[in-house]
Amino acid sequence: MARFIATTHLPHPPSAVFNLHLDPNNLIALSPPGMATTILSCRLPLHEGSVIALDVRKWGFSQLWEIEIERLVADQLLVDRALKSPFGA
């Protein structure tokens, strides 16, 4: 299986920004311009095994994305895995 891994270094302690990624509503704000993202289902709080279903629209096309939180270590690590998306699964 192909993997995409990205790392971003922030000039703040991880605990200061980590909670931003625990709120799926922020996916809408973090989506690239021109990409409309709607949360179809998600239970909070997120934990390992949580699944988020999204409707992602770009150029008039709609796609269902399902993302599973594979690993979660508070203030340190969030690993998600695409269950259904254009990137695999």
Side-chain angles (χ1 to χ4, degrees), residues 18 48 71-79:
F18 192 81
E48 289 184 5
R71 188 145 179 241
L72 179 61
V73 179
D75 296 335
Q76 295 179 26
L77 179 69
L78 175 62
V79 178

Side-chain angles (χ1 to χ4, degrees), residues 8-20:
T8 302
H9 296 280
L10 302 171
H12 304 286
S15 61
V17 295
F18 192 81
N19 286 335
L20 173 84

Side-chain angles (χ1 to χ4, degrees), residues 24-41:
N25 292 303
N26 290 321
L27 288 170
I28 296 164
L30 296 171
S31 294
M35 183 178 287
T37 304
T38 303
I39 298 170
L40 301 175
S41 66

Side-chain angles (χ1 to χ4, degrees), residues 18-65:
F18 192 81
N19 286 335
L20 173 84
H21 297 283
L22 292 180
D23 182 353
N25 292 303
N26 290 321
L27 288 170
I28 296 164
L30 296 171
S31 294
M35 183 178 287
T37 304
T38 303
I39 298 170
L40 301 175
S41 66
C42 177
R43 288 192 167 181
L44 296 176
L46 291 181
H47 54 81
E48 289 184 5
S50 290
V51 176
I52 303 166
L54 305 169
D55 176 46
V56 180
R57 290 181 172 269
K58 178 106 175 155
W59 302 308
F61 296 98
S62 178
Q63 291 186 314
L64 173 65
W65 289 26

Side-chain angles (χ1 to χ4, degrees), residues 1-2 64-68 70 81-89:
M1 170 174 45
L64 173 65
W65 289 26
E66 290 183 347
I67 301 163
E68 178 183 18
E70 192 170 81
R81 179 171 63 101
L83 301 175
K84 185 181 279 189
S85 81
F87 303 108

